[in-house]
Amino acid sequence: VMRRNPFGMDICCRKGSRSPLQELYNPTQVSLSNTAILHQIRRDQVTDTCRANSVSNRKRRVLTPNDLKHLVVDEDHEMIYCYVPKVACTNWKRVMMVLTGRGKYSDPMEIPANEAHVSSNLKTLNQYSIPEINHRLKNYMKFLFVREPFERLVSAYRNKFTQKYNTSFHKRYGTKIVRRQRKNATQEALRKGDDVKFEEFVAYLIDPHTQREEPFNEHWQTVYSLCHPCHIHYDLIGKYETLEEDSNYILQLAGVGNYLKFPTYAKSTRTTDEMTTEFFQNISSEHQTQLYEVYKLDFLMFNYSVPSYLKLE
């Protein structure tokens, strides 16, 4: 295994000589070791699910550079973050910009949201050579954040289809969904695609035609397909439900916990469990069952139980 020359590192960024990976698996602080147990349980759950669904035993699919475009690399702290849209990914990208910016940014919340999504502001794993990719996958601490799959789905629907400003989504997906799922659609609806109902969105997602035609958009793609947890061993699985604790734990492991905290602010528009329940009221049990099948691996892998409001067939 190649050993990095510790003097070659940017002095601003790394405190001490232990990497986050070492700190995670051999914690020097008691406070870190309790949390480490929780994350071990989450890792085991992913491993067991991959095994039970024989995802890992099937001829191992070789990951292509295209599969790695969601993995953001932080060289200075030896971390890799797989971002999942609708799971605090804007704030995590802001934090990664602070971590990798070498002093250019100090407060994540001063970075405008749209700037956090400019791809050139962060380096992703697909930009490296194969040996460099393998070295980083082996030696860097890898983490991702997950969320209850249907809550994330409703959040994506509300954001992309009910906000008037998301015209590019209305044009690209809305018009297609209306054309395919709505009988007697008006010319205006077919042209604008800005009034997609949740029932139509669900029908579009479970339509076999959709799956064949093109990959899901990243906002409703499964975590399993975005981050490849059966092929990439994630050291930490953070949850949206424990966002603050999990995020600050990662920053502690990186040795920056004293001066960088994960931004918290209660968004009044946040999609909740109650809201999700309401959205599913009008979905037939047949469609609920088919939709659950699409996201089933995410439910199992990240230990989310079948929602009580579902009427599965």
Side-chain angles (χ1 to χ4, degrees):
V1 178
M2 276 171 54
R3 278 275 162 257
R4 299 257 312 267
N5 167 5
F7 302 106
M9 285 180 203
D10 199 288
I11 340 166
C12 77
C13 307
R14 277 288 290 284
K15 301 277 176 284
S17 55
R18 284 169 65 83
S19 73
L21 209 52
Q22 292 169 318
E23 198 53 67
L24 171 66
Y25 291 107
N26 300 296
T28 46
Q29 299 172 41
V30 178
S31 62
L32 294 183
S33 56
N34 299 338
T35 316
I37 298 164
L38 166 73
H39 286 278
Q40 178 64 57
I41 294 168
R42 290 181 186 173
R43 278 196 299 276
D44 291 346
Q45 178 77 20
V46 171
T47 309
D48 294 347
T49 307
C50 293
R51 204 172 288 139
N53 292 275
S54 69
V55 182
S56 44
N57 325 351
R58 251 184 255 150
K59 185 170 178 303
R60 248 192 98 162
R61 188 165 90 72
V62 177
L63 295 178
T64 65
N66 195 42
D67 291 322
L68 305 174
K69 61 179 192 287
H70 273 248
L71 281 82
V72 175
V73 182
D74 172 2
E75 291 291 347
D76 293 315
H77 305 90
E78 300 190 353
M79 298 198 300
I80 295 175
Y81 159 58
C82 184
Y83 69 88
V84 177
K86 307 313 299 170
V87 193
C89 94
T90 305
N91 278 352
W92 255 111
K93 283 181 175 180
R94 285 168 162 147
V95 168
M96 292 301 276
M97 282 171 72
V98 172
L99 290 173
T100 58
R102 308 209 163 187
K104 192 173 162 191
Y105 312 96
S106 57
D107 178 4
M109 291 318 280
E110 278 177 8
I111 302 170
N114 57 342
E115 204 172 309
H117 296 294
V118 174
S119 54
S120 57
N121 283 334
L122 291 164
K123 195 159 185 193
T124 47
L125 197 57
N126 59 340
Q127 296 170 327
Y128 293 83
S129 70
I130 304 290
E132 288 173 333
I133 288 171
N134 289 333
H135 172 74
R136 280 156 186 76
L137 284 175
K138 188 176 174 187
N139 296 290
Y140 286 17
M141 183 175 83
K142 299 166 293 301
F143 68 95
L144 78 163
F145 275 79
V146 299
R147 182 178 187 177
E148 202 281 335
F150 285 170
E151 196 179 289
R152 177 177 163 240
L153 190 65
V154 169
S155 176
Y157 166 77
R158 290 178 64 220
N159 179 248
K160 299 301 170 198
F161 294 107
T162 69
Q163 303 291 340
K164 289 295 169 216
Y165 60 79
N166 265 321
T167 46
S168 61
F169 264 84
H170 303 158
K171 280 268 184 288
R172 168 128 197 238
Y173 296 99
T175 51
K176 190 186 292 181
I177 294 171
V178 169
R179 190 174 66 244
R180 213 182 284 167
Q181 307 299 340
R182 189 179 302 176
K183 291 186 178 73
N184 313 322
T186 64
Q187 283 308 307
E188 190 185 14
L190 289 166
R191 194 179 76 248
K192 285 186 165 175
D194 63 353
D195 64 344
V196 170
K197 296 183 180 69
F198 186 64
E199 297 88 291
E200 294 170 329
F201 178 52
V202 168
Y204 162 78
L205 294 175
I206 58 179
D207 184 347
H209 191 91
T210 305
Q211 293 275 13
R212 282 196 303 271
E213 181 181 64
E214 57 180 350
F216 274 8
N217 175 277
E218 59 176 22
H219 290 85
W220 48 86
Q221 179 60 281
T222 60
V223 176
Y224 164 70
S225 304
L226 287 176
C227 295
H228 315 285
C230 289
H231 301 285
I232 293 171
H233 171 84
Y234 286 93
D235 303 289
L236 279 165
I237 294 145
K239 293 202 161 189
Y240 192 73
E241 296 76 13
T242 48
L243 178 62
E244 234 176 297
E245 303 94 291
D246 293 343
S247 299
N248 288 323
Y249 174 58
I250 290 166
L251 296 175
Q252 260 182 296
L253 291 171
V256 298
N258 293 340
Y259 59 86
L260 181 58
K261 290 275 176 276
F262 191 77
T264 56
Y265 60 103
K267 248 176 135 180
S268 54
T269 56
R270 196 178 92 82
T271 301
T272 60
D273 186 44
E274 293 74 39
M275 217 179 268
T276 306
T277 306
E278 228 159 276
F279 272 90
F280 273 85
Q281 299 274 282
N282 301 328
I283 307 294
S284 70
S285 58
E286 185 192 355
H287 280 187
Q288 288 186 6
T289 305
Q290 289 172 286
L291 191 68
Y292 179 76
E293 280 305 314
V294 174
Y295 292 93
K296 186 177 177 177
L297 274 179
D298 279 5
F299 274 101
L300 297 173
M301 204 168 271
F302 307 117
N303 207 16
Y304 287 107
S305 49
V306 177
S308 55
Y309 56 77
L310 283 196
K311 309 178 284 285
L312 297 184
E313 292 196 330

